[in-house]
Amino acid sequence: MTTKKLLLIDGNSIAFKAFYALINSLEKFKNNSGLHTSAIYGFNRMLDKVLEDEKPTDVLVAFDAGKTTFRTKLFPEYKGNRAKTPTELSEQFPFIRELVKDRGIKSYELPNYEADDIIGTLAKKAEAHGDYQVVILTGDRDLTQLTSDKTTVQVSKTGTTALEKYTPQYVEEKLGVKPSQIVDIKGLMGDNSDHYPGVEKVGKITAKKLIQQFGSIEDVYQNIDNISGKKLKEHLLNDRDKAERAKVLATIKRDAPVEVALDDLAYQGDDLDQLTNFYEQMGFKSFLSKLGVNKTATAELTSVKYQKLTTANLTELAQFKDEISFYLEMDDDNYHTANLVGFAIGHGDQWFVTNEMALLTSKPVVDILSSSKIQKNVFDAKRTYVGLHRVGIELVNVDFDMLLVSYLLNTTNNSNDVGTVAKLHGFDNIKTDEEVYGKGAKKSIKPETPEFLSHIVHKAKAIDQLHNEMFEELDKHNQTKLYRDIEIKIAFVLAKMEITGIKVNPQTLEQMGSKFKERLAEIEQTIFQEAGETFNIGSPKQLGHILFEKMHLPILKKTKTGYSTSVDVLEKLAPDAPIVQNVLNYRQISKLQSTYIDGLLKVIHPDDSKVHTRYLQTLTQTGRLSSVDPNLQNIPIRSEEGRLIRQAFVPSHNGWQIWSSDYSQIELRVLASITGDANMQEAFREGEDIHATTARRIFGLASNDEVTPELRRQAKAVNFGIVYGISDYGLANNTGISRKQAHQFIKRYFEEYPGVKKYTEDIVDFAKDHGYVETIAHRRRYLPDIHSRNFNLRSFAERTAMNTPIQGSAADIIKIAMINMMTALKPLKTRMLLQVHDELIFEVPEDELETVKKLIPQVMDSAVKLAIPLKVESHWGKTWYDAK
DNA sequence: AGAATCACG
DNA sequence: ACGTACGTGATTCTA
């Protein structure tokens, strides 16, 4: 009498089956971080079914350990024609293992053996033990050879969860032989999919006939003279080696050196906490609800009952005393200039919505929005703040910003659209703006329609309902402080900076513009003469034709579509033909003209002569800001001609100064701090020139040797390379040294800065284990490609793993500094105007210059406490150009 | 709409 | 062997 039931699962083959069963909906199975989840999903569905059907007492999932096994040693071509496992599947394997663990199931793999052999060995042990009944779950018919009185083999059929159950009787009915004879049949016929041959011209039918007649391969050869058919006999004799080898290859090992004991395999059942987390991470709603942890059910948005807000029911708003959710709709992304077209306000099941914008400034509405007692839930606090500010309302006490929280939880798939974000967090039935308003030229908002009112009230309700759940997520990620102490605060700091704006003198730009125009006309004529014809210099295609087809200059680089004519190529070609230098000059000036002269002139507000950029707070993957409409983070500085553009950026009051303070080497200081590298930290503590010190170290100079500018330049490139997640190829490409030399530099670098080397290794391991990396403030970036089989994708993810904590921590630091700065500047007239990643720009009245000289650097360098000090450098002058 | 180019940190 | 530096935005050309 058996008391125990052992379930043995062939992990790889079930994962493959699951993956190919769902191949047509591959892209529908993706989680927040872009990971494909189809095989994980299918695998779990299969687990559910078999656990339910079989109710095992003990379970093990066996995995293949790697490509090489004793079979490949015996026959190197074994499985040699298998296509590479697609990335979309291989990236899922680590998660399938995690799933198995969270479901309370042991897994095992054994180098040199396939999962089959582990299963065969354990099944044999269990049969010998006597107390066990064994069930094997696989996608591979080969395992049916293990069928016995005590062991059934269940093979999953493609495309369904249905299983084909093999008992000894079923094997005989279906195959006409005993389970133990399956390997003899395979020996004679070989196996195409595993890529090993048997006997020539012997297929399924002949093999079966022979084995039925004689019993085994050995018996066939014993009785070789009794075989009818001259050709058959000849083939059998010729391929005897192959047949015997094929039988060995097909035979599952039943005595593999498996280290797990039967006692270790008790089925523990689901680890609810872990499994809930896992399902949430995967976005498995149906599995979550099966667990009874039905979080999404509460989040599901049903029909929203709402009233149209009018002067008549305005007083009903007084019912909201503690908390409201609010959505302000605008007809364009640029909230500095867009029209306000409607708003929705409410909480729980009380909702009000309107397109009558006069009601926004009515007392009951203003009282709520500017109340410090009533908490506000919004989507995009900065946008909402600026929008309300334009009608004279100050938004106070924002608790939940759904856009920000969603971004912090996962930067990858973040969106500015409530509907899209809501979908990411479990709401299925909310429309996106694009669905309601259309897109591109066809976009049209019709504020008077019921559809419009319904849409924005749904958005507000989604914010209201997701608020607790998303805060819980944030807490689980250990990101609550990041949100409350940094992100929500910086939103208002940025809002104020954007509203303040920076004054740009249009006359300065126009004067520069007319000079550029003349220069462009001159250079254009020269280029046409040199080319012998007129053409569009701005067209890479036409320019390529002139340079490479007509003038036959050497083709150094190609793009997808033709010849590359980028700066690095043209600089190399410049000595060959004078036209090239002229093209470079033309390019440079036309860039300045179109982007910075014409571009800026277009966005100067005529009333205050200022530009009001928008900082995108939820876009970058590292936590940096970006700046649009206009982008004030890429105003020229590197070339003197371009730098002149900065003369147009001036203080908004006469006699004031433009002030600029920047962190010196912030990324390398962060690197020194988080890697803990003693040598690099020493350099910063001693106030050394880090690039010179690096040069001394990697080039092995004595302490009194002079570091030539060239050596310093090379060392600087290596320092940068390290921050970007270096490779010899990349370094070589970017600095013009040979790859071999680059390799040598990096080797020396890691010898001199061993802490940095260890960090680069550790951080990649961390990313592989956790699927993400973090900054000092727990900002997270998911890196699903870290598991990719595709070298490019994986390498990119590895470099990102190294770079993101550096770049992102630097971003954290300046954000903290900005928040502190806003407070520190409260008693002053000095205003913070711009942020350019490691630099802050201010306008300062003359009489506060002495104060800010100390104050601004002090606030910046005390933002965080690192292992080494932060250094701040400041410059000021009557224009941005002069602040140098 | 996407590619190429070039502006910044 | 594989083939690349990290993070952005604006403009222009081209399909």
Side-chain angles (χ1 to χ4, degrees), chain A residues 844-864:
Chain A
V844 183
E846 199 70 41
D847 61 354
E848 289 180 2
L849 273 176
E850 281 309 310
T851 312
V852 302
K853 242 175 233 180
K854 278 183 77 173
L855 180 69
I856 290 174
Q858 189 265 321
V859 170
M860 286 173 75
D861 66 33
S862 65
V864 294

Side-chain angles (χ1 to χ4, degrees), chain A residues 668-788:
Chain A
L668 286 172
R669 282 169 200 265
V670 167
L671 180 74
S673 184
I674 68 182
T675 61
D677 186 277
N679 291 344
M680 193 177 279
Q681 291 194 357
E682 187 198 337
F684 281 120
R685 283 211 195 88
E686 298 300 318
E688 291 165 15
D689 171 348
I690 186 65
H691 300 316
T693 301
T694 300
R696 280 217 170 77
R697 285 185 172 276
I698 66 179
F699 302 124
L701 306 181
S703 59
N704 54 348
D705 281 353
E706 194 210 349
V707 178
T708 66
E710 178 55 20
L711 289 182
R712 187 179 182 280
R713 194 189 64 80
Q714 290 190 355
K716 185 175 172 181
V718 183
N719 274 329
F720 269 97
I722 293 290
V723 170
Y724 294 154
I726 200 149
S727 75
D728 50 10
Y729 188 97
L731 181 66
N733 232 350
N734 227 268
T735 57
I737 60 177
S738 75
R739 189 171 160 182
K740 214 171 167 184
Q741 208 171 13
H743 181 79
Q744 193 58 29
F745 287 0
I746 294 166
K747 196 169 147 245
R748 289 285 304 136
Y749 193 100
F750 283 146
E751 283 164 10
E752 293 296 321
Y753 297 121
V756 175
K757 178 169 201 272
K758 183 160 188 333
Y759 165 79
T760 60
E761 292 160 358
D762 290 351
I763 194 72
V764 171
D765 286 346
F766 182 96
K768 283 183 176 153
D769 287 350
H770 296 83
Y772 63 85
V773 291
E774 276 188 334
T775 67
I776 54 174
H778 299 294
R779 191 184 301 284
R780 223 176 242 209
R781 179 174 187 177
Y782 286 94
L783 300 169
D785 288 340
I786 202 86
H787 298 113
S788 175

Side-chain angles (χ1 to χ4, degrees), chain A residues 367-502:
Chain A
D367 282 350
I368 290 174
L369 294 174
S370 53
S371 159
S372 58
K373 302 244 163 54
I374 303 172
Q375 287 193 346
K376 263 69 80 178
N377 307 317
V378 298
F379 185 94
D380 195 345
K382 178 158 67 71
R383 167 183 158 284
T384 311
Y385 181 93
V386 174
L388 291 175
H389 181 269
R390 287 170 52 203
V391 292
I393 302 171
E394 182 170 23
L395 178 65
V396 173
N397 194 2
V398 171
D399 186 53
F400 175 60
D401 179 341
M402 181 163 144
L403 172 66
L404 262 182
V405 172
S406 162
Y407 168 70
L408 295 182
L409 288 174
N410 191 332
T411 53
T412 321
N413 293 328
N414 206 43
S415 156
N416 288 316
D417 180 85
V418 183
T420 310
V421 174
K423 273 199 186 77
L424 277 176
H425 294 275
F427 270 50
D428 284 341
N429 47 354
I430 180 154
K431 291 192 176 106
T432 63
D433 288 346
E434 200 178 298
E435 281 162 358
V436 180
Y437 304 143
K439 67 166 173 177
K442 283 185 218 143
K443 180 174 172 176
S444 88
I445 298 182
K446 302 188 178 72
E448 64 290 343
T449 62
E451 289 74 26
F452 170 82
L453 296 176
S454 166
H455 181 55
I456 60 174
V457 83
H458 273 80
K459 292 205 256 188
K461 183 101 194 286
I463 297 166
D464 202 56
Q465 276 187 249
L466 279 166
H467 137 236
N468 288 328
E469 188 179 313
M470 288 177 69
F471 269 158
E472 277 171 32
E473 275 294 294
L474 207 55
D475 218 41
K476 275 190 207 150
H477 285 205
N478 205 2
Q479 292 179 308
T480 301
K481 270 176 75 73
L482 169 63
Y483 172 75
R484 295 211 176 270
D485 296 350
I486 301 183
E487 290 301 329
I488 193 67
K489 288 188 178 168
I490 197 81
F492 295 97
V493 171
L494 294 171
K496 288 166 192 165
M497 289 166 66
E498 292 177 12
I499 290 166
T500 304
I502 184 165

Side-chain angles (χ1 to χ4, degrees), chain A residues 272-283:
Chain A
L272 275 180
D273 281 359
Q274 293 295 323
L275 193 57
T276 308
N277 266 338
F278 181 79
Y279 286 165
E280 279 173 355
Q281 195 194 336
M282 294 300 119

Side-chain angles (χ1 to χ4, degrees), chain A residues 149-285:
Chain A
D149 295 347
K150 291 179 175 174
T151 300
T152 56
V153 178
Q154 309 200 1
V155 180
S156 78
K157 294 181 169 178
T158 312
T160 61
T161 49
L163 295 167
E164 194 173 17
K165 296 190 185 179
Y166 285 80
T167 58
Q169 295 87 322
Y170 184 74
V171 170
E172 287 202 48
E173 271 169 42
K174 179 152 175 161
L175 307 175
V177 296
K178 295 200 188 78
S180 61
Q181 294 172 314
I182 291 172
V183 292
D184 293 288
I185 292 187
K186 284 195 72 175
L188 290 178
M189 61 187 275
D191 186 321
N192 257 334
S193 79
D194 287 348
H195 206 230
Y196 57 83
V199 176
E200 200 177 340
K201 291 278 188 295
V202 173
K204 210 172 170 178
I205 293 165
T206 315
K208 186 168 138 186
K209 218 172 72 192
L210 288 168
I211 296 303
Q212 280 172 339
Q213 192 181 346
F214 298 104
S216 71
I217 290 187
E218 292 73 22
D219 295 330
V220 168
Y221 285 100
Q222 293 253 318
N223 298 290
I224 192 77
D225 293 333
N226 303 334
I227 285 168
S228 53
K230 222 166 117 189
K231 276 277 172 207
L232 175 60
K233 189 171 154 189
E234 209 178 296
H235 287 313
L236 279 167
L237 285 169
N238 278 342
D239 289 341
R240 184 167 183 167
D241 291 357
K242 286 181 188 158
E244 284 166 354
R245 183 180 64 196
K247 183 174 172 179
V248 175
L249 290 172
T251 305
I252 291 171
K253 278 266 180 194
R254 310 215 59 178
D255 56 355
V258 168
E259 291 144 338
V260 286
L262 292 172
D263 293 349
D264 300 335
L265 306 182
Y267 172 48
Q268 311 283 336
D270 297 344
D271 178 337
L272 275 180
D273 281 359
Q274 293 295 323
L275 193 57
T276 308
N277 266 338
F278 181 79
Y279 286 165
E280 279 173 355
Q281 195 194 336
M282 294 300 119
F284 289 164
K285 275 177 277 169

